[in-house]
Amino acid sequence: MNFIKQFLGILRVSLSGAAERAGAVLTIIIGIACAVGALVSMLAMGTGARQQETGNARPDRVVLSSTGAQGIESSIPRDEAVVTLGLPYIKKNTNGEPIVVFTSFVPSEGQRRVTGNRIFLPLVGTTTNLLEFQPEMRFTAGRMFQRGLHELVAGNPCARQFTGFEIGARRSIHGGDWTIVGHFDEGHSQQCTVYADVDILMSTFSRNTYSQVSLMLQSAADYEAFRGALQANPTLHLEARREREAAEEQFKELNSLLNFVSYFIGTIMAIGATLGAV
């Protein structure tokens, strides 16, 4: 009780003189507020980025990549990818076919509507059963691309943020014209993603390996059993990750950069606030 009384007495004395040194008090308050605000805003950016990466992740979806590869550095030969279709514990569609998606990533360029700046966007070659693998994907205009054609489907964030993604627009890719035939929403994701037929895309860029193979399990509880079956197959040199783990691994460097910048700026602001208070 004596300690509380002493603390309240000191606090009362300090506050009683605040009006006489309003400039110093405001300097301290504003400095501390700016330091805390800067740190919180930067951490919020990192949290938002992580939510975008993993917002649509499901525990019954698995991503396969070549052993030891990180993100898009993975390289899976066609013959190995085909073998994955026969692995156990994979969910099948109404036609009895395994829900397995082959994917290839290619960098593409987009121009922002407001600033006109050009940035790189992910152009994803995939198979037409993508809608079975990602039921959260909903078309808001147009249709899915057709296999064997130079067609693209773009996420609504692409159409809002960048030019040249309207339905019917033609985009030049590696010397050929590709047509935008559909717009879609992808669950909680607000990232600009463009999909195309994986075989046509790989043929265009003279590639013979996939970047990754994604599949849906019969149940999330089958994950460990599936991993065991994968490792027991001597013809496959692949490793499996849950979809959330794969997404976090792919954006690990970006998250580390955001965290570093957050605490670096927060530290500088805190030092400035301390000097201002002194």
Side-chain angles (χ1 to χ4, degrees), residues 110-114 121 140-143 150-172 178-184 192-194:
Q111 184 176 10
R112 288 194 175 276
R113 289 186 178 277
V114 178
L121 305 172
T140 57
R143 56 173 174 80
H150 291 74
E151 295 181 340
L152 305 171
V153 293
N156 283 318
C158 300
R160 289 194 298 266
Q161 301 173 24
F162 303 96
T163 61
F165 285 100
E166 302 80 12
I167 298 292
R170 293 181 176 274
R171 298 189 63 82
S172 178
W178 296 61
T179 305
I180 305 291
V181 297
H183 288 163
F184 63 86
C192 175
T193 305
V194 184

Side-chain angles (χ1 to χ4, degrees), residues 67-79:
T67 304
Q70 300 291 331
I72 61 176
E73 298 175 359
S74 172
S75 179
I76 304 175
R78 288 179 182 268
D79 55 348

Side-chain angles (χ1 to χ4, degrees), residues 205-237:
F205 286 87
S206 301
R207 295 187 177 183
N208 199 38
T209 58
Y210 298 108
S211 300
Q212 68 182 31
V213 175
S214 304
L215 56 91
M216 183 176 289
L217 298 175
Q218 297 173 358
S219 169
D222 293 330
Y223 175 68
E224 293 300 334
F226 173 80
R227 284 189 64 192
L230 178 69
Q231 294 171 357
N233 193 320
T235 64
L236 297 176
H237 304 86

